[in-house]
Amino acid sequence: MHLVFGMRRTPPELPFAPSGHFTIGTFVPGRGLRGIAPISYHRKSYEGICAALVSGEFRPDVVITCATPPDEQGRRTLGGIVSYLDLAMARAGRVVVEEVAWLPYIAGSAPVPDDCEVLAVRPAPTGPTVGFSADHDEIDARVAAHIADLLPDRPRLALGIGRIPDALALSLAGRGDVEVLTGVVTEAVAGMAADGALADATIRSMSVVGPPSLLLWAAGADVVLSSSTTIQSPSWLGGQDRFVAVLGALSVDGAGNVNSERIGSRTVSGLGGAPDFARGAAASANGLCIVAVRSSDAHGKSRLVDVVEDPTLDGAWVGAVATEHGAVRLTGLRPAERRRALAAIF
């Protein structure tokens, strides 16, 4: 049996250790799965996962997920998610759900098959929830300020999970013209709504991830979920004017190629939707792919490197890079000009 995990904040409680008969893989290695060894990294973006499901390359036998309580017609949904799970459930032999008593329906959430098996009912949480990212600091705020200066009027913004995206959300308070078109709605997006950053437009995403308060907010707000086949489609995103993707990095080379997966030989994150958003933003009229990164790591080592091998993002998709020292636009620059421009902000 091969068990494939999606994004996790906390380690799973496994009944036994991985072995020759029981193996574990994931599309998103990271925080909740770092203690599991061995683990296989299935290196696909969300668009790639969808393509693998459609082609049959990836065909799950069982999908295990959370779901809402049944409505008056006895129907359940995934509550705050569509992602690629709509495709996975349609192709799986069995769908097993954990019913979450407090989980609301958010517009567009994927319906669960009527013949699903209900494994258990989870009550409302009683303790604090674990966030995906640590609190941002002054350096993150300076990076965010430089990103804000790059945004066009009325941007359609893809904002990910992390310290810099959280800081950026705060820096846009009162702006009033930001539309959200993103992979995941986080507490930062709810904060933007409260702070007057958002335009009067539907928030579009493939998921809402956070504490119960966030999902309950999204259920009552103008939030509409769609499948990864749309939200993570570079061609569809490229047709959205002023689409701006703000993406994180662990290192960048002089050509603008980006690594957001590896620290040394250790894989700490997955492709996620980054390549899909980057390609879409690069193709969008007045759009922009912005890579946001602190100039050095926790040990003071520069994140500007000679060469990024097997990059997460091709430098051709990257329109700008921002650090705490400034931001540079790379579009149209020759290779030597790119290297000099990047060296000035690292």
Side-chain angles (χ1 to χ4, degrees):
M1 181 176 72
H2 186 58
L3 179 63
V4 180
F5 281 106
M7 184 184 296
R8 289 196 61 88
R9 286 176 289 180
T10 57
E13 297 181 9
L14 299 174
F16 39 83
S19 68
H21 303 288
F22 177 77
T23 57
I24 294 178
T26 183
F27 298 114
V28 193
R31 182 170 182 170
L33 300 171
R34 288 175 187 165
I36 297 175
I39 187 168
S40 301
Y41 172 29
H42 302 293
R43 194 177 187 236
K44 293 183 182 296
S45 72
Y46 279 100
E47 185 198 34
I49 296 169
C50 290
L53 284 164
V54 170
S55 70
E57 175 192 345
F58 175 43
R59 186 175 295 277
D61 296 308
V62 182
V63 169
I64 305 172
T65 186
C66 295
T68 63
D71 62 15
E72 293 178 355
Q73 286 74 43
R75 295 172 297 195
R76 291 181 171 87
T77 75
L78 298 184
I81 298 177
V82 183
S83 186
Y84 53 82
L85 285 176
D86 57 339
L87 296 177
M89 290 190 298
R91 286 155 178 77
R94 296 170 60 194
V95 176
V96 179
V97 303
E98 179 182 17
E99 182 181 306
V100 180
W102 58 265
L103 188 62
Y105 167 74
I106 298 172
S109 177
V112 175
D114 292 338
D115 60 353
C116 70
E117 303 169 42
V118 181
L119 183 66
V121 177
R122 186 197 304 178
T126 56
T129 57
V130 178
F132 277 105
S133 56
D135 293 338
H136 62 271
D137 61 17
E138 178 57 32
I139 295 177
D140 301 317
R142 295 207 302 270
V143 180
H146 293 304
I147 296 169
D149 289 339
L150 293 169
L151 299 183
D153 291 339
R154 204 173 176 85
R156 292 186 168 104
L157 183 63
L159 193 66
I161 295 172
R163 293 162 47 151
I164 295 174
D166 289 351
L168 176 61
L170 283 176
S171 75
L172 299 176
R175 179 162 167 158
D177 72 336
V178 179
E179 297 182 26
V180 175
L181 171 53
T182 193
V184 55
V185 170
T186 65
E187 290 179 280
V189 174
M192 290 170 68
D195 292 341
L198 301 186
D200 184 15
T202 298
I203 296 169
R204 293 178 288 175
S205 182
M206 68 173 192
S207 61
V208 179
V209 176
S213 58
L214 176 66
L215 280 93
L216 292 168
W217 169 83
D222 189 8
V223 176
V224 175
L225 305 180
S226 298
S227 173
S228 292
T229 53
T230 297
I231 296 292
Q232 305 289 165
S233 166
S235 60
W236 184 83
L237 292 167
Q240 309 299 307
D241 291 350
R242 307 176 310 281
F243 175 60
V244 178
V246 178
L247 305 171
L250 294 170
S251 57
V252 180
D253 69 18
N257 299 306
V258 173
N259 159 43
S260 59
E261 302 165 81
R262 300 172 301 278
I263 297 176
S265 60
R266 184 165 58 99
T267 301
V268 298
S269 186
L271 289 174
D276 311 326
F277 282 140
R279 289 167 58 199
S284 168
N286 300 304
L288 188 64
C289 172
I290 304 171
V291 171
V293 59
R294 294 163 70 109
S295 65
S296 58
D297 63 19
H299 305 289
K301 184 178 180 180
S302 176
R303 294 186 187 271
L304 183 64
V305 299
D306 291 335
V307 178
V308 169
E309 301 286 352
D310 198 11
T312 308
L313 305 181
D314 190 293
W317 306 332
V318 178
V321 175
T323 73
E324 70 272 25
H325 302 305
V328 294
R329 288 183 177 268
L330 301 181
T331 306
L333 297 184
R334 297 184 179 91
E337 293 172 329
R338 282 193 164 214
R339 293 181 184 278
R340 285 196 296 270
L342 287 167
I345 62 169
F346 279 87

